[in-house]
Amino acid sequence: MNDLLKNIRQSLPQHKAPEELWDGIASQLDEENSIPFEILPTHTAPNKIFDRIYNELEAKKTGKLRTLNIAYRVSAIAASIAVVLTLSLFYKSGHTSNEPMLASVETVTTETDLNMNAAINKDLQDICAESPEVCSTKEFTSLKSKWLKLTAEIERLQSLGANYNQTDRIAMYIKRVEKDKFEVERQMLVLF
Amino acid sequence: MVSTKLEKEQRLVKQCLKGERQAQHELFMLYKDAMYTIVLRMMGNKEEAEDILQEGFVSVFNNLGSYRGEGALGGWMKTIFVRLALRKLSNKKFTSDIDEHQEGATQQDEHLTGELLEKLIQGLDKGYRTVLLLVEVEGYKHKEVAEMLGISEGTSKSQLSRAKAILREKLKKIGYE
């Protein structure tokens, strides 16, 4: 009889307790030892912080407007470069009779570019004064270094043009370097 | 009542998106204390909490466009503040101030006060404290906490369990069973 019972007991299936049971036990234990988090105090934030928030929002708005301003200038210069390059190529392909027209376009765009270039430089300096953390990044300093090299190259080419009176070809080289320079300026703007 | 609050929030969001200062101020007043409380509990330092409050609200106003109105605005904002606080905490060197807090925590009242409980929580290791506050006080799920902290759900659960055990031990030491 005992052996029979033993055999029956052994043949009965084994069951695994669901693992989720532990969560129930744990939460019950937690309740029993509960910590009354609901009594934690709330804190009052000083109202003056809103002025700081507002000032920061305003400063960013001004910065954005200036960035848009520079972006507009850069795109205007890029457009003028495209015009001069097209005319230069037109001129190089044999239409020598257009020389006076080309010269006048170059004169106009060069003056505009110089003014805009100075304005962009000033704007970038102002933005850097407001956001020194951006201007001190490796990416920005690397772009700035490229920008300075290209500016020096433009000055060098301009002096060559003045010395040798080869305005047509040198002007085209200058425009190409300027195009690279504006691309660098565009990349600098994206960082803000 | 609920729809009135919701409508008010929706109106404020629209106005804030237009950059209206008055609406921004109203939204700030509506949520400033709730957000400040969360951040102050996490950081344990008023100055840092104020800085995060400022940074957080600027981020809220600048990113309101990405709030799709699917969940509660308060919950969306809370996530911004919690993440900011977590970022600051991860940059902060952990200095154990448990003893200092425990020394200052002596039983004076018959009942446990919120201030004392908060002080004891502040004395926890920042890892334990963060999980405890996010799960027990702010109501985040372990899955969400795990994602925010870059840990596993299991770690979040064990951290919480350990945090509560330490807290209970502290309470016991100062006479609260």
Side-chain angles (χ1 to χ4, degrees):
Chain A
M1 188 65 178
N2 275 347
D3 283 349
L4 182 67
L5 275 175
K6 198 179 171 187
N7 286 339
I8 291 171
R9 215 180 288 140
Q10 278 174 349
S11 65
L12 284 172
Q14 295 268 325
H15 295 283
K16 269 192 171 180
E19 286 186 7
E20 305 87 75
L21 267 183
W22 170 245
D23 290 341
I25 295 165
S27 67
Q28 200 176 332
L29 286 171
D30 279 349
E31 266 175 37
E32 282 167 10
N33 299 298
S34 68
I35 301 163
F37 293 110
E38 62 280 3
I39 66 166
L40 282 172
T42 53
H43 298 276
T44 309
N47 291 343
K48 64 172 191 223
I49 293 178
F50 185 73
D51 293 333
R52 282 158 55 183
I53 293 166
Y54 186 74
N55 289 339
E56 201 177 325
L57 288 170
E58 282 298 294
K60 281 198 175 167
K61 214 193 281 176
T62 316
K64 269 185 190 164
L65 280 176
R66 190 178 285 124
T67 307
L68 284 173
N69 199 17
I70 302 174
Y72 169 75
R73 285 175 184 151
V74 170
S75 60
I77 294 171
S80 77
I81 293 166
V83 169
V84 173
L85 278 176
T86 310
L87 287 171
S88 301
L89 290 170
F90 180 65
Y91 170 68
K92 271 184 79 72
S93 64
H95 297 270
T96 48
S97 60
N98 281 337
E99 195 170 351
M101 178 191 164
L102 176 66
S104 81
V105 171
E106 274 176 358
T107 309
V108 171
T109 51
T110 303
E111 278 171 10
T112 314
D113 290 358
L114 281 174
N115 291 339
M116 282 191 175
N117 218 16
I120 289 170
N121 203 12
K122 166 97 178 51
D123 280 347
L124 278 172
Q125 278 175 359
D126 289 349
I127 293 182
C128 281
E130 278 172 20
S131 312
E133 70 283 358
V134 176
C135 299
S136 58
T137 60
K138 206 176 166 187
E139 202 174 350
F140 188 89
T141 48
S142 157
L143 286 168
K144 180 85 185 185
S145 154
K146 269 190 205 169
W147 187 86
L148 288 170
K149 275 183 194 162
L150 292 168
T151 305
E153 179 62 5
I154 290 167
E155 280 169 14
R156 190 185 71 82
L157 287 168
Q158 277 168 344
S159 69
L160 282 179
N163 290 342
Y164 297 101
N165 199 24
Q166 292 179 351
T167 51
D168 55 330
R169 290 182 74 173
I170 289 173
M172 199 168 75
Y173 288 132
I174 290 174
K175 289 296 165 192
R176 281 183 182 161
V177 180
E178 278 182 343
K179 201 178 172 196
D180 291 343
K181 190 177 146 188
F182 297 139
E183 182 49 40
V184 171
E185 281 166 356
R186 232 196 301 267
Q187 287 174 27
M188 283 161 125
L189 284 174
V190 175
L191 298 177
F192 292 100
Chain B
M1 185 67 187
V2 174
S3 66
T4 316
K5 192 191 171 203
L6 198 71
E7 281 165 19
K8 187 183 179 184
E9 279 187 357
Q10 285 172 346
R11 174 182 59 81
L12 284 176
V13 168
K14 275 185 192 167
Q15 290 171 328
C16 286
L17 283 170
K18 289 180 197 164
E20 290 179 22
R21 184 182 183 175
Q22 186 55 40
Q24 287 174 337
H25 187 247
E26 240 182 282
L27 197 67
F28 169 79
M29 293 305 282
L30 210 58
Y31 283 104
K32 74 175 177 79
D33 293 343
M35 301 303 147
Y36 182 66
T37 300
I38 296 169
V39 170
L40 183 56
R41 282 177 188 158
M42 288 177 75
M43 305 305 293
N45 175 304
K46 281 188 179 181
E47 275 179 18
E48 283 176 325
E50 287 181 16
D51 287 345
I52 293 173
L53 196 68
Q54 178 182 344
E55 203 178 326
F57 268 104
V58 169
S59 176
V60 163
F61 293 133
N62 282 332
N63 295 292
L64 257 184
S66 65
Y67 169 62
R68 301 186 189 285
E70 284 160 358
L73 178 65
W76 179 79
M77 286 172 68
K78 191 163 86 174
T79 308
I80 290 178
F81 285 92
V82 166
R83 284 183 192 277
L84 260 178
L86 288 176
R87 210 168 66 202
K88 301 270 176 194
L89 277 174
S90 68
N91 294 334
K92 208 175 158 185
K93 267 193 178 173
F94 170 64
T95 48
S96 177
D97 48 4
I98 294 172
D99 294 341
E100 187 190 317
H101 281 283
Q102 278 182 338
E103 274 170 24
T106 51
Q107 186 177 356
Q108 285 169 353
D109 301 313
E110 195 181 332
H111 301 289
L112 174 65
T113 62
E115 284 75 15
L116 178 58
L117 181 59
E118 192 170 58
K119 212 172 183 182
L120 293 175
I121 292 173
Q122 288 304 322
L124 290 173
D125 170 295
K126 74 174 178 184
Y128 292 146
R129 183 173 76 224
T130 306
V131 174
L132 179 93
L133 287 172
L134 293 180
V135 177
E136 287 295 334
V137 184
E138 299 307 329
Y140 283 101
K141 292 183 172 42
H142 282 292
K143 195 180 172 187
E144 295 170 307
V145 173
E147 186 262 320
M148 281 195 269
L149 298 176
I151 56 174
S152 70
E153 261 187 83
T155 306
S156 174
K157 283 179 186 173
S158 63
Q159 291 262 69
L160 176 67
S161 171
R162 184 82 192 108
K164 281 161 107 179
I166 296 171
L167 203 53
R168 271 195 291 269
E169 191 58 36
K170 283 181 171 196
L171 287 167
K172 211 172 162 184
K173 263 190 190 171
I174 54 170
Y176 293 101
E177 295 287 334

